[in-house]
Amino acid sequence: MEGLAMLGQLIGQLQDLLQLHGSPPPPPPPSHFRLLHPHLHPGDYHRRWCLHNIDDTPADDYYSLVMAAGKSGSCKMLEPFEPPGPPPSKKSRKGRNQEKLHGSTAIPEAEVMEQDIWKEFPEDLLEAVIARLPIASFFRFRSVCRKWNSLLESQSFSQRCAEIPQGNTWFYAFTHDNVDSGTMYYDPSMRKWHHPAYRPTKMIALPVASAGGLVCFLDIGHRKFYVCNPLTRSFKELPTGSVKVWSRIAVGMTLSGNSTTGGYKVMWVGRDGEYEVYDSVKNSWSRPGSMPSNIKVPLSLNFLSQAVSVDNTLCFMRSDPEGIVSYNMDTGVCKQFIIPAPLHLSDHSLAECKGRIMLVGLLTKNAATCACIWELQKMTLLWKEVDRMPNVWCLEFYGKHVRMTCSGNEGLLMLQMRSRQMNRLVTYNVMSREWLKVPGCVVPRGRKQQRVACCIAFNPCLTATA
């Protein structure tokens, strides 16, 4: 009893001390706090700051309270106690990634698709949606089911694709390291390389021309021509023509209509002015005529420059004299245009953008080298410079012996700049006048960056057939 009396006296002194030196109760909380905690009574806010009535509480309970206050040096508000759980265990990286994946892909129960509704989705609407997918996404979605995988064989799906304007230009490329084992595609819109497992032929054949989603190949012995759609594996070996083995030729390709359904034509031109035209509708080569007498032979063709097509007319670059030789695939009329080249020009190639004929080449003066773009003025038949590579990039070529090759289609060009010390790929958009560096190409499961040996531009098309 004596101990209880001393405890009661101590508690009374503690209460007096708190009344003299303690802080007053805080003001009522703001209205937004009461909205967030509607379960609390207004008097509860003040009880959290006041001691309980010791007259109604057993002394043993308050003994533990006073001892805790004495050890800590101050009397603090005691919060509800929760027993500690087990210490967190360190999770593996795989486990953390799985948690992130499940957390990010969790779909609310109300948003889950109901199969009874989606299985009745109209087929024509589904094909219209899939036909508008990016090319790379379409080939990923083909693995969803057999029905989607067979869409390329559907006539209705082909019609849907034909109604949609052709997408961005891609580039079909070979590298020095895999020229006999595989190919690569570069998508400039995504700035990404794709590595298909398909090759058009087991022989070493290089891309020489393209039109309407098809690419024409010529084997290194110049004996065989092949035409294929690199995306769908539609493949055709053309009949043997009269081209001489190992002779240097320039090759061009055009469509007979708006798409490959109307057929296509392939033309080769030799140094001595001989040429042949292949018609896919007739599946045969023909010699429509011979070069006019006013065209000087030998042609001295620029074999580094690819032929360009403008309004179904193929244009080939020649030298001595500098100019262009054109051939209309519909009328069979061949013409020559004498166009002097800019001074200090080397490694030049033809390009085309919406009916405009462009010239791409290297300007080298003293030790400085720069890539420039010209446009042909139809009234004066002179080249007018319209753009050149940024000076900061050109500084990298200073004092180096640089060579360049160019491939392009519909205003998008890929320039390959190479020397002993470097190998650069750059794209140029004629309409936006934008220069972009192409990211390095690394084959799957490889680390070594590949060096592009040759490439050609083509319009990716799912419905083009050889």
Side-chain angles (χ1 to χ4, degrees), residues 54-65:
I54 63 175
D55 297 332
D56 300 332
T57 307
D60 292 340
D61 295 342
Y62 273 97
Y63 181 79
S64 60
L65 173 64

Side-chain angles (χ1 to χ4, degrees), residues 312-421:
N312 217 28
T313 297
L314 287 177
C315 298
F316 302 87
M317 174 162 280
R318 65 166 298 172
S319 58
D320 191 25
E322 293 281 355
I324 293 175
V325 175
S326 69
Y327 180 83
N328 190 301
M329 300 291 274
D330 294 331
T331 62
V333 176
C334 188
K335 296 181 180 180
Q336 176 180 255
F337 302 91
I338 307 300
I339 308 171
L343 298 176
H344 312 292
L345 179 66
S346 64
D347 294 349
H348 45 296
S349 303
L350 288 179
E352 179 269 339
C353 177
K354 297 186 180 300
R356 299 149 54 194
I357 299 179
M358 317 297 292
L359 179 68
V360 186
L362 288 179
L363 276 185
T364 304
K365 190 172 183 180
N366 299 328
T369 301
C370 184
C372 298
I373 312 294
W374 293 266
E375 181 180 349
L376 180 63
Q377 306 300 298
K378 296 182 179 180
M379 296 297 294
T380 61
L381 290 183
L382 295 175
W383 296 110
K384 177 184 177 182
E385 183 177 338
V386 293
D387 202 1
R388 60 173 54 195
M389 185 177 287
N391 292 332
V392 178
W393 295 7
C394 296
L395 289 176
E396 188 179 2
F397 312 145
Y398 188 83
K400 298 177 182 177
H401 180 64
V402 181
R403 300 302 305 271
M404 186 190 77
T405 55
C406 174
S407 174
N409 193 6
E410 295 188 357
L412 188 62
L413 313 177
M414 178 181 283
L415 285 65
Q416 181 185 10
M417 325 286 291
R418 61 190 184 279
S419 67
R420 283 188 177 182
Q421 297 85 3

Side-chain angles (χ1 to χ4, degrees), residues 7-18:
L7 180 60
Q9 184 179 2
L10 180 61
I11 293 175
Q13 294 175 356
L14 179 61
Q15 278 186 321
D16 296 337
L17 184 64
L18 290 174

